[in-house]
Structure formats: structure tokens, C-alpha cells
Amino acid sequence: MSVLRADTVAIASAAAALGAGACVAFPTETVYGLGAVAFDARAVARIFEIKARPTFDPLIVHVLDMEMLARVARDVPPLAARLAQRFWPGALTLVLAKRPEIPGIVTSGLESVAARMPAHPVARALLAAVGQPIAAPSANSFGRLSPTSAEHVRAQLGELVEIILDGGATPLGIESTIVAFDPVPTLLRHGAIAREAIEAEIGPLLDATAPVDGSTPQAPGQLLQHYAPQTPIRVIESLPPRDRRADAAYLGFHEGAEGYAAQRVLSPAGNDAEAAAHFFEYLHELDALGLERIDAARVPNRGLGAAIADRLARASVR
Ligand code: TXA
Ligand code: MG
């Protein structure tokens, strides 16, 4: 395993490794991805193995441009095309009818494929160098905290990955928003583009983001427990008594919690985007302290706050 600063030489080696069937971790504007060439079923199978990810949970396929998208998706309905036009390259994933060349392991046997055109320069340079779509889920162990730095990837997946391209901290810090269209526009996952921004473009979305209990979710991505730190985390409405704070860490949107062993403030200025960018980074930091628990203040459920609140809710399920 090597962690390489993502310069031209490193990107060329990573592309060569992908072409030869390896898995490579790379930065995107949302979180780090663990990638394999999307048409290489054997390499994609290795992603599931490295992440210990159940094969019922399909991957996102990354494309460089609309031409590459046409090799992945059979059809782009008009509303999807509008969103692509408005938000790509960017943190939006569109679920589309898949082309038969995309192996079933990528889509968990579904007839649809989730596709995204990333904006991060390293992800784009890698796609251009490989010349093939790259299937990549987040580069963490299944169910654990998402990686927003190369160090997060190294700590979780370490020796299992051949190359980790280090492109610094990911600017947005939470995963892409996922929208499906069949039969009507439906929000599948809250993410780095606010629901309101998408609705401003194409009108109301059905909401299919509610977590589903049990081991066989009806739709992928609705897992009740996800994004979990090792330290138990709970969402609090108000601060616990002072003597209950010393063994714990506090994560909040604003300042103002005293007496905790550690605390992180997502955005002192109350800015959603700043809060989202720091969310996983701060959880990684607080988790590393090995305290008894993390108290997370409830986040307002609108704009990007909805994406943070969703992740907090799933992280706090035990
Ligand atoms: O920002 C992101 O989306 C990051 C970066 C690396 O691009 N990727 C990411 O992938 O978050 P991952 O594997 O952690 O999440 C992929 C999710 C699945 O859990 C599932 O919910 C949804 O995408 N998905 C994939 N294919 C789907 C399909 N055909 N139908 C419905 N949902 C799908
Ligand atoms: Mg993930």
C-alpha cells in the first residue's frame, strides 16, 4: 500500500493500477472513494471484499463527461438531463437505466445504475487517464465513518488498498445527494446538494430517505445504522447535567457546551456548508479520543442540515 500525493505521476500510476484490475482510493469533492474500473467485475468484487460491504448495496459509477455516461446509462430522462446540466460536474448522483455492459455486481443485480460526474480535479484527472468509468463507494469500512482525508482511508482500509491518492481534505465533506426518476423524481439520499436546490430546478421530489429497519432494506441506501463511529453517539435535545459531561465529547452546530472532555463546533457562524464540510472530520477526531460517548446536538432539518441530521440519526443507532 502506498499513499501518494496526487500529482500527475501518481495519477498516472493509479490509472495504470486500475487498468490492471486493482482498487485505488482517490479524493472527490464529497468524500474519498474506493474505485475500480466499472466494467471489471472481478476488481469491483474486490471493493466489496475490502469494505466488507454486503453485495445488496450497489455502487456509484463515476464518469468524466456525458460521453462516458452514455457507456453506463441506457437513457437519461429529461428531468435527469436538467439536473445533470445544472449540477454536473458535482455532488449529485442520478439513478438511471443501466447498460447491459455494466456488470451486475456494480448494481447489486438492479436494472438501474447510480452515476455521478465528479468535480474534483484529481477524480477527473484519474477518469481521464483511465478512460473508463470508475465504480466507487466511499472508501471506508462498511457502516463506519466516511473518509474525508487520505489518512482516514489509510486508518480504515490501510494495507488492503494498493494506492491511496492524497488530494487533501475533501471540500464538501459529505456524500452526494442521490435522486432516482423511475417513475417520478425521488430523493434516495440526502447529501451535499440540498433538496431545496434540486426542487427549485425540477419541482417536488418524493422522499424515500427514511431509514428501514431490518437486514433486508427494500431500497439500497436506507440502512438504519450507518456512518457510525466506534464511540457511542447520541443525539441530544438539551445538555445533560454537568457531572455527565466529563467523560464525553460534544458535537454541536454552535458554541456553548461547557464541561465536556472535548468539543467541536460545526460552524460558529451558523453556515450549513461549513458544518457539512467539517462533520465527518470532527467525528473522526472525537472518535479517536476513546471517550465514553459523543453527545451530538440536534441539527435543524433543512438545507444541508437535513443531510447532517440524517447521518447523525443513522450514526446513533446501536
Ligand atoms: O459522494 C458520493 O456519492 C461518494 C463518492 C465517492 O462519489 N460515494 C458514495 O458511495 O457515497 P456509497 O457506496 O457510500 O453510496 C452508494 C449508495 C448506495 O448505498 C445506494 O444507496 C445508492 O448509492 N445506490 C447505488 N446504486 C443504486 C441504484 N441502482 N439504485 C438505488 N440506489 C443506488
Ligand atoms: Mg458510504
Side-chain angles (χ1 to χ4, degrees), residues 280-313:
F280 280 119
E281 177 196 344
Y282 288 171
L283 273 180
H284 278 281
E285 288 174 9
L286 295 177
D287 197 19
L289 301 175
L291 293 164
E292 194 171 290
R293 52 168 220 285
I294 299 170
D295 287 349
R298 189 176 288 289
V299 171
N301 200 12
R302 67 185 134 67
L304 291 183
I308 300 173
D310 174 85
R311 281 156 181 75
L312 271 180

Side-chain angles (χ1 to χ4, degrees), residues 113-192:
V113 61
R116 175 162 103 80
M117 189 189 292
H120 196 288
V122 173
R124 298 193 62 76
L126 187 63
L127 281 163
V130 184
Q132 310 246 51
I134 299 176
S138 50
N140 51 339
S141 301
F142 180 70
R144 307 237 67 99
L145 287 179
S146 302
T148 60
S149 72
E151 172 52 27
H152 295 160
V153 181
R154 196 204 52 75
Q156 282 197 31
L157 305 180
E159 297 305 316
L160 299 172
V161 185
E162 203 157 305
I163 296 177
I164 300 172
L165 285 177
D166 186 351
T170 57
L172 301 181
I174 53 173
E175 292 86 346
S176 61
T177 304
I178 305 182
V179 177
F181 299 89
D182 188 18
V184 290
T186 304
L187 183 66
L188 296 187
R189 178 174 76 183
H190 288 286

Side-chain angles (χ1 to χ4, degrees), residues 40-272:
D40 185 342
R42 190 189 288 226
V44 171
R46 180 87 182 115
I47 292 179
F48 285 90
E49 201 173 86
I50 292 172
K51 282 185 56 101
R53 180 182 177 111
T55 49
F56 62 71
D57 194 8
L59 309 183
I60 293 173
V61 177
H62 298 72
V63 298
L64 181 64
D65 49 26
M66 293 309 271
E67 213 174 296
M68 199 178 271
L69 179 71
R71 294 163 61 195
V72 171
R74 218 156 18 89
D75 177 47
V76 183
L79 292 181
R82 274 220 352 233
L83 292 183
Q85 172 84 23
R86 167 75 178 79
F87 295 107
W88 279 1
L92 177 70
T93 295
L94 303 175
V95 176
L96 304 166
K98 90 174 185 73
R99 290 197 67 95
E101 294 80 13
I102 296 291
I105 183 146
V106 172
T107 63
S108 303
L110 297 171
E111 283 308 309
S112 57
V113 61
R116 175 162 103 80
M117 189 189 292
H120 196 288
V122 173
R124 298 193 62 76
L126 187 63
L127 281 163
V130 184
Q132 310 246 51
I134 299 176
S138 50
N140 51 339
S141 301
F142 180 70
R144 307 237 67 99
L145 287 179
S146 302
T148 60
S149 72
E151 172 52 27
H152 295 160
V153 181
R154 196 204 52 75
Q156 282 197 31
L157 305 180
E159 297 305 316
L160 299 172
V161 185
E162 203 157 305
I163 296 177
I164 300 172
L165 285 177
D166 186 351
T170 57
L172 301 181
I174 53 173
E175 292 86 346
S176 61
T177 304
I178 305 182
V179 177
F181 299 89
D182 188 18
V184 290
T186 304
L187 183 66
L188 296 187
R189 178 174 76 183
H190 288 286
I193 293 178
R195 170 187 191 155
E196 292 87 338
I198 294 168
E199 294 188 326
E201 197 65 27
I202 62 165
L205 295 168
L206 273 190
D207 190 333
T209 62
V212 171
D213 204 351
S215 53
T216 51
Q218 285 141 352
Q222 295 181 320
L223 295 163
L224 186 57
Q225 193 208 10
H226 211 74
Y227 313 111
Q230 313 272 3
T231 313
I233 178 168
R234 51 169 213 186
V235 180
I236 56 169
E237 305 292 341
S238 56
L239 292 176
R242 256 206 123 83
D243 61 339
R244 294 274 298 126
R245 298 183 202 168
D247 297 337
Y250 176 81
L251 179 73
F253 216 91
H254 306 285
E255 251 153 302
E258 278 155 27
Y260 279 97
Q263 72 160 300
R264 292 289 183 282
V265 178
L266 288 169
S267 174
N271 176 289
D272 275 2

